[in-house]
C-alpha cells in the first residue's frame, strides 16, 4: 500500500501563498488519482482538490477553484498543492491521499493506503 508524507505548510499572512508537497511511495503509485483534503479544528475533513494519474484532469472544491492549483510530478512521486490568495478560513491541517469518486463526492480511497500521513499545518493570519 501507499505511504504518504506531506510537507510545506507554515504560517502566512492573509493574501499570501504556500506550496504543499506530498511524497507518495509504495506499490503501483503512478496510476492512482491523488487528492488533497483539509481538516480544521472542530470540523470535518473536507475535499480540496484531485488530479488523475497523468495530470490531465483536475478537480477542485467549488469554493477553492481559482485560488488553488493541484499538480503532480510522477518522476518525483510527488503531488503538489499551490495555494494563493490565502484566507484565514484556509487554516487547517492538509492531508494527501489516493482518492475516488462516489456520486458527486470525492473520498479517500481507503483500499489504496494503510494510514493517513501526518499532514502539514497551514495557518493563515488575518
Amino acid at each position: 500500500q501507499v505511504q504518504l508524507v506531506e510537507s510545506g505548510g507554515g504560517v502566512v499572512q492573509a493574501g499570501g501563498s504556500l506550496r504543499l508537497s506530498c511524497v507518495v511511495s509504495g506499490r503501483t503509485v503512478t496510476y492512482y488519482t491523488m487528492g488533497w483534503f483539509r481538516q480544521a479544528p472542530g470540523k470535518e475533513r473536507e475535499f480540496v482538490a484531485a488530479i488523475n494519474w497523468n495530470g490531465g484532469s483536475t478537480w477542485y472544491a467549488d469554493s477553492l477553484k481559482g485560488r488553488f492549483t493541484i499538480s503532480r510530478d510522477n518522476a518525483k512521486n510527488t503531488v503538489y498543492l499551490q495555494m494563493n490568495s490565502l484566507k484565514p478560513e484556509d487554516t487547517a491541517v492538509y492531508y494527501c491521499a489516493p482518492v475516488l469518486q462516489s456520486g458527486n463526492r470525492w473520498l479517500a480511497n481507503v483500499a489504496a493506503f494503510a494510514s493517513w500521513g501526518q499532514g502539514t499545518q497551514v495557518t493563515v493570519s488575518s
Side-chain angles (χ1 to χ4, degrees), residues 51-90:
I51 186 166
N52 78 336
W53 71 276
N54 67 358
S57 297
T58 58
W59 301 263
Y60 298 91
D62 288 342
S63 63
L64 303 178
K65 189 173 184 179
R67 295 195 297 121
F68 289 12
T69 302
I70 190 170
S71 61
R72 70 192 298 167
D73 185 342
N74 289 336
K76 297 182 178 180
N77 299 319
T78 303
V79 182
Y80 303 97
L81 184 69
Q82 178 68 45
M83 306 186 296
N84 298 325
S85 301
L86 284 163
K87 304 175 181 180
E89 66 192 72
D90 297 319

Side-chain angles (χ1 to χ4, degrees), residues 4 9 11 20 22 55 73 99 106 111 116 124:
L4 309 160
V11 180
L20 309 184
C22 170
D73 185 342
V99 296
W106 285 93
W116 293 93
V124 184

